Amino acid sequence: MLLDFEKPIFELEEKLQETKSLAAKNNMDVSQAVKLLEDRIVHLKKETFKNLTRWQRVQLSRHPDRPYTLDYIAHLTDDFVELHGDRGFGDDKAMIGGIAQIDGQSVMIIGQQKGRNTKQRQYRNFGMANPEGYRKALRLMQLANKFGMPILTLIDTPGAYPGIEAEERGQGEAIARNLKEMFLLDVPVICIVIGEGASGGALGIAIGDRVCMLENTWYSVISPESCSSILWRSWDYKEQAASALRLTSLDMHKFGLIDRIIEEPLGGAHRHQEETMHIVKKAVLEMIEELSKLDSKTLKQQRTEKFSKMGEFEEAQISKAS
């Protein structure tokens, strides 16, 4: 799948392959032409990805070839043991969780999984968790807390499931409880937006000591399409909505809502999956090492202070009636 702004890059890459094939077939020396094309491709990639609009970054975050939670688990960890169920209703397939090791460091990994094809997406409910998904996540976080394991959450969801049955089972309460309980965890909590980070569906597993975003991801209270449909009664204004929402990793870091941007290889994570996961693994280990030096009291205090600074409010002045 090629996005519109990637097509000029793809055309140059095709021309490069044709040049190499022609040279090999005719035993020709085209090293200078190859070098020139390679330089042009690198330059074009740098210019293209440096000047992406917010909507284009949203498109990249949704690219079907981007690595998903299970891809990260497969490449980052050893001996992953998936844990199932919320011990109350059922096992939500949109929320993955379990114990693993990253270079000998035991961790609890939790994240949303979308699915690659239609069948998988239906099975995973398109990465939209029900209340039991958030309750499962909380159960696993509390288990990690009990055994002193750092927690890593991988966020990639278009939002919590908005169906009637989810509301009947307490979707809002489940997410709200996660927000409260994550502030009270004694172990390091690292949260990374690896794709889409929409609304409370993302926030329900995103209260951490370090909240990070991959470079070409977004994090917002609402998707551009939903914002457009509310404000303009049409999805046609999604690009303007994306710009107004200021939802990119650069925006979030500027506002102080995330701690770190994890840079993707030039061309995006969807074109360089293994290199991206290597970068993420290195960042995760660095953050675990850094946070493991802090005691539980300091972790909770700093976590609370960080999120408390994100909002501003003024106490209302109520005058007493004479």
Side-chain angles (χ1 to χ4, degrees):
M1 175 183 168
L2 274 180
L3 299 172
D4 289 342
F5 58 87
E6 292 182 298
K7 288 178 181 176
I9 299 171
F10 179 74
E11 288 168 2
L12 274 180
E13 288 175 336
E14 274 196 326
K15 189 174 181 181
L16 175 63
Q17 291 304 319
E18 289 171 4
T19 303
K20 287 181 177 179
S21 298
L22 185 64
K25 188 181 294 184
N26 297 290
N27 196 26
M28 298 167 55
D29 180 15
V30 291
S31 55
Q32 287 188 337
V34 167
K35 180 67 168 60
L36 182 62
L37 279 171
E38 287 175 340
D39 289 344
R40 285 179 63 190
I41 289 168
V42 171
H43 177 74
L44 183 57
K45 279 184 178 179
K46 287 181 178 178
E47 286 301 305
T48 300
F49 283 84
K50 183 176 70 175
N51 297 301
L52 290 176
T53 66
R54 291 182 173 93
W55 174 245
Q56 287 170 335
R57 292 197 187 275
V58 171
Q59 290 179 293
L60 282 174
S61 76
R62 296 170 173 170
H63 199 287
D65 293 333
R66 280 185 73 86
Y68 291 156
T69 292
L70 284 175
D71 299 314
Y72 283 99
I73 289 173
H75 286 79
L76 267 63
T77 72
D78 304 307
D79 303 321
F80 175 68
V81 179
E82 186 175 354
L83 302 174
H84 299 273
D86 68 339
R87 300 297 185 267
F89 181 82
D91 184 42
D92 192 327
K93 305 302 182 183
M95 190 76 76
I96 300 291
I99 299 170
Q101 288 195 336
I102 303 178
D103 284 1
Q105 169 67 59
S106 295
V107 295
M108 181 69 77
I109 298 185
I110 299 164
Q112 289 112 349
Q113 177 71 17
K114 288 179 174 177
R116 290 279 173 209
N117 53 44
T118 302
K119 188 174 181 180
Q120 289 178 2
R121 287 169 189 151
Q122 289 175 334
Y123 181 70
R124 298 292 181 184
N125 202 30
F126 299 86
M128 296 185 292
N130 279 280
E132 53 270 24
Y134 293 99
R135 290 173 181 139
K136 174 169 72 171
L138 179 57
R139 181 176 76 83
L140 300 189
M141 287 187 274
Q142 291 173 334
L143 183 65
N145 197 57
K146 180 178 180 180
F147 290 100
M149 287 185 288
I151 297 166
L152 171 63
T153 70
L154 301 175
I155 299 151
D156 187 13
T157 180
Y161 183 59
I164 292 174
E165 60 272 32
E167 298 299 337
E168 289 175 340
R169 295 198 297 274
Q171 186 72 284
E173 185 276 340
I175 293 173
R177 184 173 295 276
N178 279 25
L179 302 186
K180 174 193 171 186
E181 297 297 335
M182 289 186 78
F183 279 109
L184 304 178
L185 293 168
D186 296 316
V187 296
V189 183
I190 298 166
C191 310
I192 304 177
V193 181
I194 60 172
E196 298 184 273
S199 191
L203 197 58
I205 57 169
I207 304 297
D209 303 292
R210 296 291 181 270
V211 180
C212 313
M213 293 175 67
L214 284 174
E215 185 179 359
N216 296 311
T217 63
W218 65 273
Y219 193 21
S220 177
V221 70
I222 193 171
S223 71
E225 292 91 341
S226 297
C227 179
S228 175
S229 67
I230 290 171
L231 295 182
W232 289 281
R233 303 287 188 239
S234 167
W235 280 26
D236 295 339
Y237 299 91
K238 54 186 178 293
E239 295 184 39
Q240 293 94 314
S243 180
L245 286 168
R246 300 184 184 182
L247 39 60
T248 68
S249 59
L250 293 171
D251 295 318
M252 294 296 105
H253 193 261
K254 180 181 177 181
F255 296 147
L257 300 178
I258 64 169
D259 303 292
R260 178 174 178 174
I261 298 173
I262 299 175
E263 291 187 3
E264 298 180 20
L266 185 61
H270 63 294
R271 303 192 71 181
H272 306 279
Q273 285 202 18
E274 290 203 15
E275 189 178 347
T276 299
M277 290 183 279
H278 176 75
I279 292 169
V280 170
K281 181 177 181 178
K282 182 180 178 183
V284 167
L285 289 172
E286 287 174 357
M287 288 184 280
I288 289 176
E289 183 180 4
E290 176 191 355
L291 293 170
S292 295
K293 297 174 183 177
L294 305 176
D295 59 49
S296 61
K297 182 179 179 181
T298 304
L299 281 172
K300 288 188 284 188
Q301 182 180 351
Q302 290 184 357
R303 195 183 302 150
T304 302
E305 288 176 354
K306 179 176 71 171
F307 281 88
S308 297
K309 291 176 182 176
M310 291 181 185
E312 296 182 4
F313 66 94
E314 292 182 1
E315 294 285 356
Q317 300 296 321
I318 303 175
S319 59
K320 294 183 179 180
S322 55

